[in-house]
Amino acid sequence: MSKPYAFRMNILIIMLLSDTNQARSVKFMPVPARKPKSAAKKPTSKSAAKKPVNYLYRDPVYGFSITLPDSWKTYTVIKTSKKLADAEYGVFFLFKYKGKVYEDVLNLLVFKMTLEQWRNEGYDESPYIFLAERGGRIYAYTVPSELPGAFLDETGFDYDYEKYKKEIDLLQRMVNDEVPEIVKTFKLKKMPARR
């Protein structure tokens, strides 16, 4: 009997990227972790006192940024594309485990449209989740709705939870637990003051 798949979205979006897309080397910048509001007593041991380290991804094209957990440096590959069906630009965080790159964990997309167009064209009712709007552009994100096909068993009808347990657990944690926190850190580059 198969276990239910715990991702939050029910619609699968497949985005075809052109062959010219290149994986980029991205510099991550350390960012201090936020203290939880319900912080209890200070830890007593040195190992417990270590704060988790987060890293800042700053997009070189549109200048937006997000803060990612340290583990994303190990478990993701970042690709960008300007050749998309709907959006004018995308940043794709692809899941990587033991050297093998699978499908996306998080997609950040930039659409050239106003908020009114976004609503009129039904995007607010789509799998794209609105993040921000500025200067005739909408910033949104998506997450996968299913596990990668590479995790299917020999029959092709169910996921091989025994063989891919570690990968599945890690990917589910990233999408279900970490992405909701990551997207809260989305920031647009400050605009210069007009004189």
Side-chain angles (χ1 to χ4, degrees), residues 5 10 14 44-45 52 98 106 156-157 161 186 188 192:
Y5 190 60
N10 296 323
I14 299 173
T44 54
S45 72
K98 292 189 176 180
L106 171 64
F157 294 111
Y161 290 97
F186 179 87
L188 292 171

mmCIF file of all heavy atoms in Angstrom, residues 5 10 14 44-45 52 98 106 156-157 161 186 188 192:
data_model
loop_
_atom_site.group_PDB
_atom_site.id
_atom_site.type_symbol
_atom_site.label_atom_id
_atom_site.label_comp_id
_atom_site.label_asym_id
_atom_site.label_seq_id
_atom_site.Cartn_x
_atom_site.Cartn_y
_atom_site.Cartn_z
ATOM 1 N N TYR A 5 1.217 11.174 -0.759
ATOM 2 C CA TYR A 5 2.258 12.150 -1.020
ATOM 3 C C TYR A 5 1.852 13.465 -0.383
ATOM 4 O O TYR A 5 0.762 13.941 -0.585
ATOM 5 C CB TYR A 5 2.451 12.308 -2.529
ATOM 6 C CG TYR A 5 3.655 13.118 -2.876
ATOM 7 C CD1 TYR A 5 4.915 12.720 -2.476
ATOM 8 C CD2 TYR A 5 3.530 14.297 -3.568
ATOM 9 C CE1 TYR A 5 6.007 13.469 -2.784
ATOM 10 C CE2 TYR A 5 4.615 15.051 -3.877
ATOM 11 C CZ TYR A 5 5.854 14.637 -3.488
ATOM 12 O OH TYR A 5 6.949 15.391 -3.788
ATOM 13 N N ASN A 10 -2.074 20.396 -5.824
ATOM 14 C CA ASN A 10 -2.698 19.263 -6.477
ATOM 15 C C ASN A 10 -2.551 19.286 -7.990
ATOM 16 O O ASN A 10 -3.021 18.397 -8.669
ATOM 17 C CB ASN A 10 -4.195 19.233 -6.151
ATOM 18 C CG ASN A 10 -4.427 19.009 -4.679
ATOM 19 O OD1 ASN A 10 -3.680 18.260 -4.066
ATOM 20 N ND2 ASN A 10 -5.418 19.644 -4.118
ATOM 21 N N ILE A 14 4.500 21.498 -15.644
ATOM 22 C CA ILE A 14 5.739 21.081 -16.276
ATOM 23 C C ILE A 14 6.199 22.246 -17.141
ATOM 24 O O ILE A 14 5.486 22.699 -18.017
ATOM 25 C CB ILE A 14 5.540 19.828 -17.133
ATOM 26 C CG1 ILE A 14 5.059 18.684 -16.248
ATOM 27 C CG2 ILE A 14 6.821 19.475 -17.862
ATOM 28 C CD1 ILE A 14 4.674 17.464 -16.987
ATOM 29 N N THR A 44 22.762 25.214 26.816
ATOM 30 C CA THR A 44 23.902 25.160 27.719
ATOM 31 C C THR A 44 25.146 24.583 27.056
ATOM 32 O O THR A 44 26.249 24.958 27.390
ATOM 33 C CB THR A 44 23.560 24.320 28.959
ATOM 34 O OG1 THR A 44 23.083 23.051 28.546
ATOM 35 C CG2 THR A 44 22.506 25.018 29.807
ATOM 36 N N SER A 45 25.012 23.679 26.128
ATOM 37 C CA SER A 45 26.189 23.084 25.501
ATOM 38 C C SER A 45 26.603 23.902 24.276
ATOM 39 O O SER A 45 25.808 24.595 23.667
ATOM 40 C CB SER A 45 25.918 21.638 25.087
ATOM 41 O OG SER A 45 25.055 21.623 23.978
ATOM 42 N N PRO A 52 21.525 27.988 13.274
ATOM 43 C CA PRO A 52 21.540 27.553 11.885
ATOM 44 C C PRO A 52 21.966 28.724 10.994
ATOM 45 O O PRO A 52 21.623 29.867 11.254
ATOM 46 C CB PRO A 52 20.084 27.159 11.615
ATOM 47 C CG PRO A 52 19.297 27.796 12.694
ATOM 48 C CD PRO A 52 20.210 28.019 13.852
ATOM 49 N N LYS A 98 23.077 13.128 -3.853
ATOM 50 C CA LYS A 98 24.220 12.278 -4.183
ATOM 51 C C LYS A 98 24.636 12.449 -5.642
ATOM 52 O O LYS A 98 24.833 11.482 -6.372
ATOM 53 C CB LYS A 98 23.924 10.811 -3.858
ATOM 54 C CG LYS A 98 23.802 10.558 -2.363
ATOM 55 C CD LYS A 98 23.737 9.090 -2.041
ATOM 56 C CE LYS A 98 23.705 8.916 -0.541
ATOM 57 N NZ LYS A 98 23.649 7.520 -0.140
ATOM 58 N N LEU A 106 11.541 24.440 -5.997
ATOM 59 C CA LEU A 106 10.961 25.779 -5.932
ATOM 60 C C LEU A 106 11.274 26.499 -7.234
ATOM 61 O O LEU A 106 12.400 26.437 -7.724
ATOM 62 C CB LEU A 106 11.569 26.553 -4.755
ATOM 63 C CG LEU A 106 11.249 28.036 -4.632
ATOM 64 C CD1 LEU A 106 9.756 28.263 -4.395
ATOM 65 C CD2 LEU A 106 12.071 28.667 -3.513
ATOM 66 N N GLY A 156 5.943 1.462 -12.440
ATOM 67 C CA GLY A 156 5.675 2.803 -12.927
ATOM 68 C C GLY A 156 4.378 3.392 -12.400
ATOM 69 O O GLY A 156 3.970 4.472 -12.800
ATOM 70 N N PHE A 157 3.702 2.663 -11.485
ATOM 71 C CA PHE A 157 2.418 3.123 -10.969
ATOM 72 C C PHE A 157 2.480 3.616 -9.529
ATOM 73 O O PHE A 157 1.527 4.188 -9.031
ATOM 74 C CB PHE A 157 1.372 2.002 -11.056
ATOM 75 C CG PHE A 157 1.049 1.624 -12.469
ATOM 76 C CD1 PHE A 157 1.435 0.394 -12.965
ATOM 77 C CD2 PHE A 157 0.380 2.502 -13.310
ATOM 78 C CE1 PHE A 157 1.150 0.043 -14.271
ATOM 79 C CE2 PHE A 157 0.093 2.164 -14.614
ATOM 80 C CZ PHE A 157 0.474 0.926 -15.101
ATOM 81 N N TYR A 161 9.092 3.738 -2.084
ATOM 82 C CA TYR A 161 9.393 4.393 -0.814
ATOM 83 C C TYR A 161 10.534 3.714 -0.059
ATOM 84 O O TYR A 161 11.172 4.340 0.772
ATOM 85 C CB TYR A 161 8.147 4.461 0.067
ATOM 86 C CG TYR A 161 7.125 5.432 -0.465
ATOM 87 C CD1 TYR A 161 6.054 5.006 -1.232
ATOM 88 C CD2 TYR A 161 7.231 6.796 -0.207
ATOM 89 C CE1 TYR A 161 5.121 5.906 -1.730
ATOM 90 C CE2 TYR A 161 6.317 7.701 -0.696
ATOM 91 C CZ TYR A 161 5.257 7.252 -1.454
ATOM 92 O OH TYR A 161 4.348 8.138 -1.954
ATOM 93 N N PHE A 186 11.255 36.688 0.705
ATOM 94 C CA PHE A 186 11.377 37.311 -0.621
ATOM 95 C C PHE A 186 11.388 38.828 -0.490
ATOM 96 O O PHE A 186 10.526 39.412 0.159
ATOM 97 C CB PHE A 186 10.218 36.881 -1.520
ATOM 98 C CG PHE A 186 10.264 37.489 -2.894
ATOM 99 C CD1 PHE A 186 10.984 36.876 -3.902
ATOM 100 C CD2 PHE A 186 9.600 38.665 -3.178
ATOM 101 C CE1 PHE A 186 11.032 37.427 -5.172
ATOM 102 C CE2 PHE A 186 9.641 39.233 -4.433
ATOM 103 C CZ PHE A 186 10.360 38.605 -5.437
ATOM 104 N N LEU A 188 12.255 42.538 -2.847
ATOM 105 C CA LEU A 188 12.644 43.213 -4.072
ATOM 106 C C LEU A 188 13.748 44.212 -3.744
ATOM 107 O O LEU A 188 13.758 44.802 -2.660
ATOM 108 C CB LEU A 188 11.451 43.945 -4.679
ATOM 109 C CG LEU A 188 10.350 43.041 -5.231
ATOM 110 C CD1 LEU A 188 9.127 43.865 -5.601
ATOM 111 C CD2 LEU A 188 10.845 42.261 -6.435
ATOM 112 N N PRO A 192 15.889 53.268 -6.274
ATOM 113 C CA PRO A 192 16.519 54.538 -5.898
ATOM 114 C C PRO A 192 15.466 55.620 -5.720
ATOM 115 O O PRO A 192 14.457 55.641 -6.416
ATOM 116 C CB PRO A 192 17.447 54.845 -7.082
ATOM 117 C CG PRO A 192 17.034 53.936 -8.181
ATOM 118 C CD PRO A 192 16.253 52.810 -7.586
#
